[in-house]
Structure formats: C-alpha cells, structure tokens
Amino acid sequence: MVILGPQCPVEQEGVPCPSEPPEGVPVIVSEQLPGELYAPGREVARTATDAKGAFRIDIAPGKYVVTAEAGMSCELMDVTVATAEYARVTVPCDTGIR
C-alpha cells in the first residue's frame, strides 16, 4: 500500500487530516543490494496503485526494495518475499505540504 500525506496545509488539533492512499501511483520494486539496507539495485518490477493505494506484484522469493513515485518523495522500504507468499509493505510518501 502507498500512503500520501500530509493532506492539509495546516493541521489543527481536533481536526483530522489523515494521509490518503493515492490511485495510479507508480510502484517500483528493485533487488536489494547484498548487505545494504534500503539500497535498491536493478529494477525487477513496476506497477501502479489501485483506488485504495494498494498494489500486488508477482515476483520470485528474495530481498527487495520497494518505493513509489508520488508527492515530493517516497521512502525506500525493504521487504522479503518468501516462497508461495505475498509480502505486505506500506510505502509512506510526503506531499511536501507544510
């Protein structure tokens, strides 16, 4: 899942302003460089988020770095995919709104 926030220019106490899941955002999966956290290597897959900010990619078991292209920047997230399983990862992205 990809989450994009903050969504409000000025957050106020008692006034909720939750991050939102963006639709149609590119999601990039890269090999994780051996021995390096949050270090993407060769890109192995790419997709886009659905209306709920979710995505699913079928890839071989291994260690990967996942990020997205939304807002000003998105974090690099490490994920390990096991045999015959889907891994869950949330990619936080910053809108740049302050």
Side-chain angles (χ1 to χ4, degrees), residues 48-65:
T49 57
D50 65 16
K52 295 180 180 178
F55 61 91
R56 180 176 278 192
I57 300 175
D58 292 323
I59 53 178
K63 294 183 180 231
Y64 298 95
V65 176

Side-chain angles (χ1 to χ4, degrees), residues 5-41:
Q7 295 292 324
C8 303
V10 177
E11 291 189 47
Q12 300 174 9
E13 188 174 329
V15 179
C17 185
S19 297
E20 295 182 3
E23 181 176 5
V25 167
V27 177
I28 302 96
V29 179
S30 302
E31 293 175 336
Q32 182 182 30
L33 294 177
E36 299 289 330
L37 295 177
Y38 310 109

Side-chain angles (χ1 to χ4, degrees), residues 35-95:
E36 299 289 330
L37 295 177
Y38 310 109
R42 180 182 64 88
E43 182 178 315
V44 296
R46 183 179 282 254
T47 192
T49 57
D50 65 16
K52 295 180 180 178
F55 61 91
R56 180 176 278 192
I57 300 175
D58 292 323
I59 53 178
K63 294 183 180 231
Y64 298 95
V65 176
V66 180
T67 192
E69 296 175 348
M72 286 184 54
S73 64
C74 296
E75 291 188 28
L76 298 170
M77 304 303 294
D78 288 335
V79 64
T80 299
V81 177
T83 302
E85 292 183 17
Y86 283 101
R88 292 185 181 266
V89 62
T90 298
V91 180
C93 297
D94 185 356
T95 60

